[in-house]
Amino acid sequence: MKRQKTYKMALVFLAIVLLFSSCNKPPQKAEKIDFAMGTTIFTTYYGDLDNADEILNSIIEKIKSADLIMSKNNENAEVYKLNHSDDLALSDTLYNYIKNSAEIFSHSENKVSVSSGALTECWGFDTSEFRVPSNAEILDRKKLCNDNTLIFDDQNRKIKTEKGQIINLGAVGKGAACDEAVNAFKESGQKGSLIVSVGGSVGICGENKRSVGIRNPFAAENEYFATIKIENGFVSTSGDYEKTFEKYGKSYHHILDLTTGYPVDGEITSVTVFSDKGYVSDALSTMCFALGIEKSCEVLKLYSSQAVFVKKDKTVVVTQGLKDLVKITNPDFKLVQYE
Amino acid sequence: MNRKAITKFDIILIVLMLLISASFFTYQALSDYKSKDAIVIVNGQTVMEINLNTLGEKKEFTLENGVVIEAENNSIRFKSSPCKDELCVKCGSLTDAFDVAVCVPEKTVIKIVGKDEQKIDIMTY
């Protein structure tokens, strides 16, 4: 009798050991890395690995087709066609992205717009052939970058622009591509969870909290200074370290203040925004970068969004909603306040 | 009959159990360690897998697109690239799981894949 009891205990013990060892294993996941929108796409799927390849391929295809809608430079893309025609009926998808983004940018005091193409093109930010335009050129182009001159025709899904105006979804495209990817994943009804990153705009959808590293603005592009825990939603970051060039000893970055025509020169070096939509987080991160911390906090509330601001002196400001989700991992950075 | 609380048999069984569990965890730890590999992806396709534990001395790999990758024990980096800005080279050496460096112009990615826990799942930048 006694011996039988010991056997049983031994079995229970073994079962516990096995259980522990299986807990230790990382969850089943598959990854794919590709390129589109002139940047890197990371996709990770957690779940049944039998279909993983198929799922990730379809997600990447979805992002590439989003590129084919929103690219300003690709002749086959819808935005390119819009910029090169007078009377184009747009797809629902594109029409809504442009209209909704213009609505968000209407809070930017004219610093950011969806019709920024005239200026970004003359700086060469779209083609990476950077140059500093003359003052006269900037004054001229600036006039073409205001969304107030756009006329939206909801019925026919048409957008009328002024002559010379160029629609540019650079500030929302990557976030919108994350939206498209996550929506496609949800619609497919697949179990499991998904992480997608299009050029640093991130979409997360699933059952587990994921840890997103926020780039250290003062270090190489694969270093982070803080993490943010997210289960569902989108994160985008705008910083003055992307697409930079130097001319005559001065450094220029790609986020233009459309009221001056020159790169934004403010207190912050990067902003990360968390929203429930990808294009919203992308649009807001650009806009918050241009607006500065105080004004940004008012606008963030309108879109139920949260943000992490990094100032040039390495102090960090986090909005209340992210209080428990953001963790600073690099001791050079100091969290100074919650807004 | 033997009515002692702990018999010899019990002790043998306990020791056996401890041995089994210890070997389990050691095996796991070892297999995690062994699995530290680096992958090189060009244009979405994995073109090379490098085991960073058995490498021994420094090795250089030149890819078809002209990118040069340098690997040594437990680390890998972009040594040079035909791209203009060489942001990939500035990323330096990769050592931890999920450490990743990208050369966008040459559509090349190097990445550490290991079974040890990732510190982060993704980056926003």
Side-chain angles (χ1 to χ4, degrees), chain A residues 165-186:
Chain A
Q165 252 189 328
I166 302 168
I167 299 288
N168 174 14
L169 291 183
V172 293
K174 291 169 191 164
C178 291
D179 279 324
E180 295 295 306
V182 167
N183 287 341
F185 179 69
K186 282 182 179 163

Side-chain angles (χ1 to χ4, degrees), chain A residues 71-73 79-80 82-84 98 113-122 126 141 143-147 149-150 159-170 258:
Chain A
S71 168
K72 189 170 81 42
N73 302 326
V79 169
Y80 180 95
L82 166 67
N83 283 331
H84 292 82
I98 297 177
S113 78
V114 293
S115 49
S116 61
L119 262 178
T120 58
E121 276 188 8
C122 83
D126 306 325
R141 297 287 186 118
K143 296 176 200 147
L144 299 167
C145 294
N146 197 312
D147 287 347
T149 54
L150 299 178
I159 299 169
K160 203 165 164 34
T161 56
E162 295 238 309
K163 195 170 182 297
Q165 252 189 328
I166 302 168
I167 299 288
N168 174 14
L169 291 183
L258 301 176

